[in-house]
Amino acid sequence: NDAAVAIANHIGGSVEGFVYLMNEKAAYLGLKSTHFMNPHGLDHPRHYSSAYDLAVMTAYALKNPVFQQIVKTKVKVADWPGEEWRHKFYNKNRLLTMYPWADGVKTGYTRQARRTLVASATKDGQQWVAVTLNDGNDWKDMIQMFNYAFQHYPKHTVVKQGQIIEETTWKNNQNWQLVLTAEKTLAYPLSIE
């Protein structure tokens, strides 16, 4: 919490300035059920979000490779200023050791929100994000959700790189041909049913 306040002061000039930036980003992402009042997430009557909005925020954040690396780190060893010994910081996200494809993201608890888990898992090039709120069995439920997603929504190639999508020719003074070709391969999770 102290680190969140320090970062807020550094980036936003003040906690209030940073909260303003947070709410602007929420609006940019189209989040309809989120409003921030602080940078650390502790309870406040006007600080709230939904499972859907948390998933959208997480999917956006996971596009950042530095964020990806931070949230999947199990143990961080750091020098302790002024001391000869080093300190180990352990990630509290038990999914990182319980589930082989887990790669983040955040655990949380407040009196009002109760247990919160925002998680990510990647398998065979496919990444899923899931959120549980006030779930006393969140680790097990999260694993079940990921297993269901990987089993029932495998990634299918829709269009291959270089594939011709449409071709047309027309005539006027010259013969013109227009060929629409896929620049990249597009794969999308589709239900097998």
Side-chain angles (χ1 to χ4, degrees):
N1 299 337
D2 291 342
V5 170
I7 291 168
N9 283 318
H10 177 74
I11 293 174
S14 66
V15 169
E16 294 77 16
F18 189 72
V19 167
Y20 173 82
L21 295 174
M22 292 171 70
N23 285 312
E24 287 294 303
K25 182 61 87 169
Y28 170 79
L29 294 174
L31 308 182
K32 305 278 189 239
S33 301
T34 295
H35 185 264
F36 297 109
M37 289 301 293
N38 59 59
H40 42 65
L42 294 180
D43 293 332
H44 184 284
R46 292 182 45 226
H47 187 99
Y48 56 86
S49 192
S50 67
Y52 176 82
D53 284 3
L54 290 169
V56 171
M57 280 186 263
T58 301
Y60 177 81
L62 285 168
K63 293 177 183 176
N64 181 315
V66 174
F67 180 81
Q68 283 181 34
Q69 187 60 43
I70 290 169
V71 299
K72 74 179 179 181
T73 300
K74 295 177 187 175
V75 179
K76 178 69 176 170
V77 179
D79 292 328
W80 205 251
E83 301 292 336
E84 292 182 18
W85 52 274
R86 302 173 83 186
H87 188 76
K88 284 187 178 180
F89 296 93
Y90 296 92
N91 192 326
K92 293 182 181 180
N93 185 347
R94 290 178 31 204
L95 276 182
L96 294 174
T97 54
M98 293 174 65
Y99 191 64
W101 300 285
D103 50 14
V105 169
K106 179 73 176 91
T107 64
Y109 179 88
T110 68
R111 285 188 186 136
Q112 187 176 357
R114 314 294 291 168
R115 290 173 63 101
T116 302
L117 179 59
V118 179
S120 166
T122 304
K123 180 181 177 185
D124 300 327
Q126 184 178 23
Q127 187 172 35
W128 289 96
V129 170
V131 177
T132 58
L133 302 176
N134 193 16
D135 181 354
N137 205 8
D138 49 6
W139 309 112
K140 180 182 174 192
D141 292 341
M142 192 65 71
I143 289 169
Q144 288 178 338
M145 285 191 289
F146 285 138
N147 284 339
Y148 185 89
F150 287 127
Q151 182 179 354
H152 294 279
Y153 293 92
K155 200 182 245 188
H156 292 278
T157 299
V158 179
V159 177
K160 292 183 179 179
Q161 181 179 14
Q163 180 179 339
I164 295 173
I165 309 298
E166 186 68 40
E167 230 176 312
T168 186
T169 342
W170 70 92
K171 295 181 180 186
N172 52 12
N173 293 340
Q174 300 175 344
N175 288 337
W176 292 89
Q177 183 177 19
L178 177 65
V179 179
L180 180 61
T181 308
E183 180 181 352
K184 297 179 182 177
T185 297
L186 171 65
Y188 199 79
L190 300 170
S191 172
I192 56 176
E193 298 165 1

